[in-house]
Structures are given as C-alpha cells and as structure tokens.
Amino acid sequence: MRKRILLIIGLFVLVNVFLHIIGRIQADVMNNVRSYVRGEGLYAKAQKDAVFYLQKYVAMGNEQDYQAYLDKLNVPLGDRQARMLLMAAEPDRQQITLAFLQGENHIDDIPGMIQFYQRFNQFPYVREAIELWTEADALIIKLQAIGEQIRQAKVGENNQPIADLLDELYRLNQQLSELEIQFSLVLSEGARWVKNLLSWITLISMGLMLCVILYISRRIGLGIEKTERELLISESRFKALYRTEMLGIIEWHLDGQIFDANDAFLNMIGYSRLDLSNGRVNWRDLTPESGYARDEVALKQIAKQGYCTPFEKEFIHYDGKSLVPVYVGAALFDGDEERGICFIIDHTEIRKAHEDEQLLATVFNASSDGILICNNNREILAVNNAWCRMKGYTELEVIGKQTDMLIKEGVEDNFHHKVWQNIEDKSTWQGDVIGYKKDGNELHVQLGVNAIRDENHSISHVVMTYTDISEHIMLENKLREMAHYDFLTGLVNRSLFNDLLKRAIERAKRYSTVFAVLFIDLDNFKPINDVHGHEVGDELLREIAQRYQGSVRGNDIVSRFGGDEFIILLDEINQSTDVNIVADKLIQCTNQPINIAGHTLRVGCSIGVSFFPNDGEDGKTLLHNADEAMYAVKATGRNNYLEYSSLNS
C-alpha cells in the first residue's frame, strides 16, 4: 500500500519534471528559431544594402560606396561560411562561431544556433530551410562576382557592360528577396509544427499519467480489501498454528517472563499450564549457562532490527536433568521494545538423527573395507577413506562419475552387465575380482554389491564393499609357486614337469608330433660345491639355469629335478638334428666360465636324449631312457650328449 502511494507521488513528480522538460525544449527550439529568423533578417538587410551601395557606386563612382558594398557583402558571406562548416563531418565550433559573428549574429545566440542545426538538420522543415539557405548562398557568390565585374568595367570606363550587369543585379536582388521570405516562412512553419507537436505530446502524456494514477488508485482500493481478507485468514491460521502440537509459541518479555504459551511448548519442556499461570516458567531460568552468550547475541539483534536470526539453543526440562534442544526465532511486537513473540521447534529427533548420521559417517570412514555408494544410474555419490586409499583416487575425482568407468573389474566385456542384472534379480552379488588402481596396477578384491530399494521396491542406491585380498592372493601364488617351481632357480620343478610331460604326451598323440626329453647332469659340480661352499654352488646353478633358458625356445620347458640335474622338454621337433643343435648350444653355454665371488669357475654337462614315441610312450619310460643315455655319456668321457636309440644300437 505504502509503495503504491509513493508510486503515485512519484508519478506526479515525474509529470512535473516531464512538463518542465517539454517546456524547456519548446522554449529552446523557439529561441533558436528566433535566432535564425533574426539572422535571416540581418542576412537580408546586409544583402539589400550591398546591392544599394553597389548601384550607388555605379552611379556616383565613389570608392567609399564600393567599400561599403564589400562590408555589407561580408555579412551573408559569414553566414555562408558558418553553414559550410556546420555541414562538415567534424564541425569546428570555434570556426563556426567566428563565421556567425561575421554574419553579425549575437554571441549569445550562436551556441543555440549550432546546437539547433546539429540536432534538427534532418528535420523536414529545417532541411527545406537549409536548401533555401544554400540556394541563397549561391546567389550571394553570384552577387560577389557581379560586383567584381562592375568594378572592372567601371575602372575601364566601359558603360555598355555595366548596363547589362545592373539588369542582372536587379534580377538577382529579386531572387534573393524571394528566397529570404521563403526561408523565414519555412522556419516559422517548422516552429509552429514543433509547438503543436509538443503540445500534443504534453496532452497525451498527461492523459496517460492520469490513467496510470486512476489505475493505481483502483489497485490500492482493491489491495485494501484484499489485505483485510488476508488479515482475517492470517488470524485464523495463527490460531490453528497456536493449537498445533508441532510448533511451540510463546509471548515473552526481556526480563524472562512468559505471559502465554501454547501446549506444544509446555509439553516440550515438561511444564503444565498451572506452572505457567504461577509464573514458574521463565525462559531465562530455563536456559543453561552455556546458552547465555548466544541469547545475548540474539537480543542485540532484536534490539537493533526487531527480530533475530533463528538459532539453536537448549532449554532445561522440568525434570532438571535433561536438556531439550530447540530451534528458536523471536521478534518484538510492533511498537514494543520489551515484549514479543517467539516460535520454537523441538530438535530432539533432529539432533538424534544428526548424531546417528555422524555415527554412521564415522563408521563409514573408519571401516577398513572400501565402501562405495552410487545411485540407480550408477553415479558415484560417496566413497570412504579406505576406498580412496585402496584405489588411489581422491573423493573429488570420483564423485558424480560412472562406476563402469572407474571400476574395471573382471575380464569379460559384459562383466558389469552380469553384476547389475544379478542385483536387479537378487539385490546382491559377491565375488573375487581383479580391479585396477588409478595408477593402473592390479588390485585383488572381494567385492560385495547390495541394492537398497525404495517403497516401490525399485533400486534407489547400491552399496559396494571392497575387501583387499591382495596379500591373500600373493600368499596363494607364493604357495603355488613353491609347489611347482624350484625355489633356487625359479625353474619348473619335478612335480610340475611331470604334469607338463603328461600334457605333452597327450598333445603329441592327438596331433602325431614328436618331442624330445634331455636329461642333463653337470660335470665337476661337486668339487666346486665342496671347495667354495654351497652359496657359490647355488649361485652357479642359478647362472646355469638362466643360460639353459636362453638356449631354448619359448614353448620348450626347462626344469631342475634336484641337485645338479636338469630336464629339458623340446616340444614339436621336426628331426633329430634339431635336438643335436640344441644339445651343442647347451654344452657350449655350460662350458663358458662363470665368475662368482672373485672365482672363475668351469663346469661341463652330460646329456642323455630320448624321443617320443620311439623311446617311450609314457613319461616314466622317457625319463628313464634319457637318464640311461646320460649315464652312458658319463661313462664315456663326459661333456657330451647321446641319444637313447644310439645306446641300444
């Protein structure tokens, strides 16, 4: 209401300002037109005087008359110069002023004349006047030329041209007079048009303003009626709010008195209405000492602005032991500096929920298992500290990202689809998977995925728990390695070799291929072991193992059977000469000196060879026959190889 009244006052002020501006514009326009009309009068008078003195000069021959003619001609020439400067792209106001002064215009009129020309030169009446002015200036130049011709004829005492020039001068004077009259008429007509236009604008503006004022007044009347209805509704709502059990309402005083309170507040703090009537309920007495400082901040706010920002505090319950957490907002009654109304919301359940939430957050981040929570669109909503440490990501890097992009578990392309399908059907999934850390390293985890469903039994959230089983997997791999690989050289041990030998036999039978078994025993190894110790002997065995692995193909198998015995399975050979080449390489690499702990050591090797299927169709027979051939080499000089078939022949 107040704003609308101020709006009406503002409109009245605006109307007055507008009328003042319109009047000022009208006055300026009329004054500038008057200046140009006056200038036109000076222009016309000077032009006529110039013609008069020129005619007198012809008749009398007096030089003073000719000089008077030139002085008078200077006036229209000055106005012409001013017009040409005004038409320039960047008018020079100083030069224009000098030109107008030459045209005998008053110094106070010149700024308005310049401004009028610049603002209204495209206005139809002004444009027409400028055209007349330009045409008159052209005739002035012609007048100047006639004067010069008369001067020359007069000096030459030739009367015949002078007579013709006087006739032309007479016609020129008539034309200039007509143009000067038209110029004044056009400017006068333009001034009347502007005056009428501004008058209409004023009348229309006044009418519009009056309509707006009437409209706003009507709105104010309707607003008053609406306000009355809203006050009745507000009163009804307040009564309903006062009777509610959800919101405490009290009428309070700065000294702590509570004059009235609804049942919701009394039930909140455990007091009865009789206690209220007896003055036993005082909000200052109900406030624990820890809340005094915050109350003072609120009271300062209320004293300054009439209300305080809602804040949390506690009231002492009737039992004197427990504290009731509440949310309070208070304000003074209008026109009162000590009494007011206060709204109180019981925060007991909210605080409990907050404490439960904090407890859950503490458990969430204290868990040693990684936890990830996402929505049904697989967008990550939260991860705990253990998950961040486990995966190498920060929380900011993954929040809002898709789980499919960040969690690359599984080797199957449709791994995630299977997991999510299982969650849709059974709400849970669990399994051991190989994931990847941010740096690309593998991470073995036991992943548990559980769905959280809403009241419509639709999945709203999904909780993923990650248990790092990398150490367990490493231990399993270590045990597996110890069971199948030689602890000293890292080569396949006897147990795994026997399994691989069985598979090679099955494969050779299936595809009718041939393979060879080489039984190798090092020569002169025992003396080195006895003289230099087991550590040197072990290092020598490791070196020999590396040399053997480098002498065969990737699909061949090198095994240490124990002590200084090695077995090599050469798979899928084409002819026995292939084995001979490998055997020679093995002997050569064995014979190469080995530098260990400052000692240069040399050993040899004896190799026995058996072929599948010619020398045996099972592993035991093949190994036995290769062993026989090896011992035959030992018996015949060592550091050589022998095929079992050669032994029999």
Side-chain angles (χ1 to χ4, degrees), residues 378 414-431 447-451 453 459 462:
R378 308 185 194 181
N414 60 348
F415 172 79
H416 286 92
H417 175 73
K418 288 183 178 180
V419 172
W420 284 94
Q421 189 60 49
N422 203 77
I423 295 171
E424 288 283 354
D425 298 338
K426 302 179 181 179
S427 296
T428 185
W429 183 89
Q430 186 172 345
L447 178 63
V449 186
N450 295 279
R453 298 183 180 271
I459 294 178
V462 174

Side-chain angles (χ1 to χ4, degrees), residues 17-87:
V17 172
F18 179 75
L19 291 175
H20 175 75
I21 293 172
I22 292 294
R24 185 64 180 270
I25 292 172
Q26 184 174 348
D28 287 345
V29 170
M30 298 305 293
N31 188 48
N32 292 331
V33 170
R34 178 197 58 77
S35 298
Y36 271 102
V37 170
R38 178 179 177 278
E40 183 275 330
L42 295 171
Y43 183 103
K45 183 178 183 305
Q47 173 263 317
K48 287 178 174 57
D49 288 346
V51 171
F52 169 77
Y53 282 115
L54 186 59
Q55 290 173 337
K56 187 177 179 183
Y57 169 70
V58 171
M60 305 296 294
N62 191 338
E63 284 297 323
Q64 291 181 350
D65 291 332
Y66 186 77
Q67 189 59 46
Y69 150 75
L70 292 177
D71 292 341
K72 294 300 180 180
L73 189 63
N74 240 356
V75 173
L77 287 175
D79 286 339
R80 175 181 177 274
Q81 179 67 18
R83 176 184 60 79
M84 295 178 67
L85 289 170
L86 283 168
M87 295 175 67

Side-chain angles (χ1 to χ4, degrees), residues 283-387:
W283 66 266
R284 287 188 179 274
D285 295 340
L286 294 175
T287 302
E289 187 175 349
S290 59
Y292 291 171
R294 185 62 187 87
D295 280 354
E296 288 304 315
V297 172
L299 289 172
K300 288 180 180 179
Q301 275 189 313
I302 292 172
K304 183 177 180 180
Q305 60 191 25
Y307 63 91
C308 69
T309 303
F311 64 98
E312 291 187 8
K313 67 170 292 180
E314 292 176 325
F315 283 128
I316 301 171
H317 194 269
Y318 177 79
D319 59 19
K321 299 177 181 178
S322 58
L323 297 175
V324 182
V326 294
Y327 194 64
V328 175
L332 291 173
F333 290 131
D334 286 343
D336 201 317
E337 296 181 355
E338 296 183 342
R339 294 176 58 165
I341 191 169
C342 181
F343 297 92
I344 301 122
I345 299 175
D346 190 345
H347 261 208
T348 302
E349 294 298 325
I350 295 176
R351 177 174 290 187
K352 185 177 183 302
H354 180 65
E355 291 173 351
D356 292 344
E357 182 180 344
Q358 286 184 322
L359 177 61
L360 288 174
T362 302
V363 173
F364 180 72
N365 280 312
S367 173
S368 59
D369 290 338
I371 302 174
L372 179 148
I373 301 174
C374 65
N375 59 20
N376 59 351
N377 293 323
R378 308 185 194 181
E379 293 176 347
I380 298 175
L381 304 178
V383 290
N384 69 346
N385 295 333
W387 189 93

